[in-house]
Structure formats: C-alpha cells, structure tokens
Amino acid sequence: MITTNTCQFLAEHPQMKYLFFGGKGGVGKTVMAGAAALWMARQGKRTLLASTNPVHSLSSLLDQDVFGKPTAVAGVPNLWAYEIDTKDTIAKSKVELTQKIEWFLRYADIKTRADEFVESATMNPAFEESAMFENMIDLMFEDKYEAYVFDTAPTANARRLLGMSSVYSMWVNKMLQSREEAKSLKELLSYSKKKEEKDPLMEYLVGLRERMERAKMLLTNDQKTAFFFITLPEALPIAVIKRFINWFKDFGIPVGGVIVNMLIDKESVGPDAPEFVRNRVLMQERYMEEIWRSFPNVCALVPLFETEVRGVPMLERVAERVFAS
C-alpha cells in the first residue's frame, strides 16, 4: 500500500523545485507532468511546464500552441508551458564549434577545413540530445520560476539526458588533462619567445566544467529535485522502470516515487461486464501485486478515465488523483 503519497512527499520536501516525469513510451508521462504543473500552479507557485521530449505533446495536451517559447496557459494563473525548440541552440553550437576547431587546426598546423569536422559531429543524434540538455539547464539556471516540471523523453533518453552532467564532467576533465599536457609539450619544444597566445579551447573547457558541476549539484539535490516514474499495471512498463530506477541511482538523481496510471476501477465492473474488461481487471490485479512487491515508493494510483485526458478540466481530474491526500 502507499506509505507516502505525492502530497506527503512534497510536504516533506518544502524546497522541491524541479520535478521530472518519465517512463516507457505511452504510459502517460505528459499527462502526469501536466497534472503536476497544474497542481503546483494552483498552490500559488509560478510554474513552468517544459517538454524535453523531441516528440512534443504539450500543445496537444493543452489545446494551445506552446512551441518555441514559454507561453501562459489559458485560464490557469501562474502556469506557463514550453515545448523546447533545439533548432537555435544547434545553430549556435555549430558556429561555436566551427570557431574552436578552426583555431585548433591553426594551432596544430593542420591543413584541413573545420566544416568537415563540424558536419560529421552535428549529424550525430547525440548532438540534438546535447542541445536539449543545454536548453534544459539554461532554464534551470535562469531561475525565473518557483517550480519547474519537465515532461521527459522515454526513459532511456531521459536517463542519458539527465546523466549528461556526469558524463560531461568526466569528458571535460579528461580533455582538460590532455589539453594541459599538449600545451606543456608545445612550450617545451618551442624556441619562440613571443607572448603566450590566448587559448580559447582551454577557456571553453574550464567554463563547461563549471557549468556541468553546477548542473550536477542541482540535479542530484534531493531537497530540490525528484524524478517520478510512471507505469501501467503491465509487464513491459514495470520491467522498464525496474531497470531505470537503479540507473538513476547510479547518477545520483533522486527518485520521488512511482505513479501507477490507467487503473480500471474494479467497483465499476460487474459480473455482466464484457469478458474483455473482466480479463483486463484480473491482469491488472496480478501486475499490481508485482508493483507492490517491487516498488516501496508508489505514491499515487490514477484511474483509467472514461475519456482521453486533454485540456485543463481533464488535467484537474488527474491532478486530484495524483495529489490525493
């Protein structure tokens, strides 16, 4: 049974500011994130609901266009929604990367064009993921809102996205070490007495390391950050979050709890219900036993509603269940 519900969890963490919602595809991540953001806004907190999922759904959920910039949600004071557009970040990153590679090629006296490296680097899918991460931590660093609710990509992507602060830190430290060694070797072998030139690559790496350390501090602060996993009472979503909860722990990202979505109300299913429905109820009962055994931190049970969840009134109904006390 539930020992600490979502409301109690937030009451025990009064400084909580960054809420992430993730899980297998199709389990209702966007809906849960939307409900949580609505609830936070109703508590009087200036709240931003942001999507880091490359396949955005917030505009469809809210029935209004929120792509490309934070947009006030109609009829809900204190709530803004934002589907992050990585296009500008990728373009800016390409320019910066080109400048750095051009400088390095001149420094190393290599006769190769920088754009050949840039094109191959930016064709990598991880480049867009990296841009999304940059946009996400920009929002967190700007600190314009009292609460941030992130609708993340399916869990594998979310894990990589949130784990980037750790991966980046390891990579940057290695690069800095190599850069220092190369610089020392060049100075040792050089007969030139000219003043040491500015090293933009080193400056960039030092700046990136500071940025990643700051991001990691926010993402691993269990008083300010929590990741909530969404599952259905079905085998595959349960298996997915069993694996990923441990991976998140490896990165030090605090897990707030598990929310079970789309539970069929047994009381509404009588003996005359179609066999299909009765079978689904029995199946969910079996998987709920597994959920109780596997996850000690289930914090909310959300029913399967009679209609799709879309628009603010339906989100209000979901929020009532997610934050039932």
Side-chain angles (χ1 to χ4, degrees), residues 61-75:
L61 176 70
L62 298 169
D63 276 334
Q64 70 178 97
D65 183 8
V66 298
F67 181 76
K69 63 179 181 180
T71 305
V73 175

Side-chain angles (χ1 to χ4, degrees), residues 43 46 98 117-118 120 132 154 177 220 225 236 287 296 320:
Q43 306 309 302
R46 183 179 162 84
T98 302
F117 288 97
V118 174
S120 61
M132 187 65 80
Q177 183 185 350
T220 58
T225 300
L236 293 182
Y287 284 119
E320 286 173 8

Side-chain angles (χ1 to χ4, degrees), residues 12-297:
E12 292 170 3
H13 299 79
Q15 297 178 52
M16 190 57 60
K17 187 165 185 175
Y18 308 106
L19 305 179
F20 293 83
F21 288 80
K24 186 180 176 299
V27 297
K29 297 182 295 295
T30 304
V31 167
M32 294 304 146
L38 181 63
W39 189 85
M40 297 294 273
R42 296 290 193 213
Q43 306 309 302
K45 290 182 179 289
R46 183 179 162 84
T47 303
L48 178 67
L49 168 63
S51 168
T52 63
N53 190 339
V55 185
H56 297 300
S57 302
L58 288 186
S59 291
S60 298
L61 176 70
L62 298 169
D63 276 334
Q64 70 178 97
D65 183 8
V66 298
F67 181 76
K69 63 179 181 180
T71 305
V73 175
V76 185
N78 298 320
L79 181 59
W80 287 257
Y82 178 24
E83 291 177 339
I84 297 173
D85 180 11
T86 58
K87 186 175 61 182
D88 290 342
T89 305
I90 289 175
K92 186 181 168 191
S93 296
K94 276 186 175 181
V95 172
E96 291 177 350
L97 187 59
T98 302
Q99 291 170 345
K100 290 178 182 65
I101 291 178
E102 283 176 344
W103 178 88
F104 178 75
L105 293 175
R106 283 198 305 275
Y107 173 85
D109 197 22
I110 297 174
K111 308 297 181 191
T112 305
R113 291 174 53 188
D115 52 4
E116 293 175 6
F117 288 97
V118 174
E119 282 307 312
S120 61
T122 55
M123 289 294 287
N124 190 323
F127 201 79
E128 183 174 1
E129 227 163 52
S130 173
M132 187 65 80
F133 179 76
E134 292 288 330
N135 287 131
M136 184 186 81
I137 60 175
D138 277 345
L139 286 174
M140 296 169 76
F141 288 174
E142 283 174 4
D143 203 23
K144 287 183 178 176
Y145 300 86
E146 296 172 278
Y148 293 79
V149 180
F150 290 100
D151 169 28
T152 72
T155 302
N157 301 68
R159 177 224 177 205
R160 286 202 303 273
L161 189 71
L162 300 182
M164 274 185 178
S165 60
S166 297
V167 175
Y168 261 145
S169 295
M170 287 188 285
W171 177 80
V172 169
N173 286 334
K174 190 72 180 170
M175 287 293 292
L176 275 169
Q177 183 185 350
S178 300
R179 193 76 193 91
E180 288 282 9
E181 289 171 359
K183 190 177 172 186
S184 300
L185 190 59
K186 185 179 179 185
E187 287 171 358
L188 187 66
L189 297 176
S190 175
Y191 293 101
S192 172
K193 299 295 183 187
K194 70 179 181 181
K195 189 179 177 183
E196 184 181 331
E197 62 181 313
K198 198 174 175 184
D199 187 341
L201 193 55
M202 183 72 89
E203 289 176 2
Y204 166 76
L205 289 172
V206 170
L208 184 58
R209 182 171 64 180
E210 292 171 356
R211 185 173 163 82
M212 288 306 109
E213 285 173 352
R214 188 179 169 198
K216 191 174 178 181
M217 282 180 62
L218 285 180
L219 290 172
T220 58
N221 185 336
D222 63 4
Q223 296 304 306
K224 289 189 173 181
T225 300
F227 195 100
F228 290 87
F229 284 92
I230 317 302
T231 188
L232 307 182
E234 296 178 10
L236 293 182
I238 293 171
V240 165
I241 65 172
K242 275 183 184 177
R243 288 199 305 273
F244 285 97
I245 281 178
N246 288 328
W247 287 1
F248 273 65
K249 286 178 181 172
D250 289 343
F251 281 122
I253 298 168
V255 175
V258 172
I259 297 173
V260 183
N261 191 21
M262 298 187 192
L263 264 175
I264 299 172
D265 178 13
K266 286 190 297 184
E267 304 304 319
S268 65
V269 179
D272 297 332
E275 184 179 6
F276 165 79
V277 177
R278 286 186 279 117
N279 285 341
R280 296 291 296 187
V281 170
L282 288 174
M283 179 199 75
Q284 288 196 347
E285 282 182 337
R286 287 198 302 273
Y287 284 119
M288 280 307 299
E289 290 173 6
E290 183 177 350
I291 286 171
W292 294 124
R293 281 196 308 271
S294 304
F295 308 115
N297 53 352

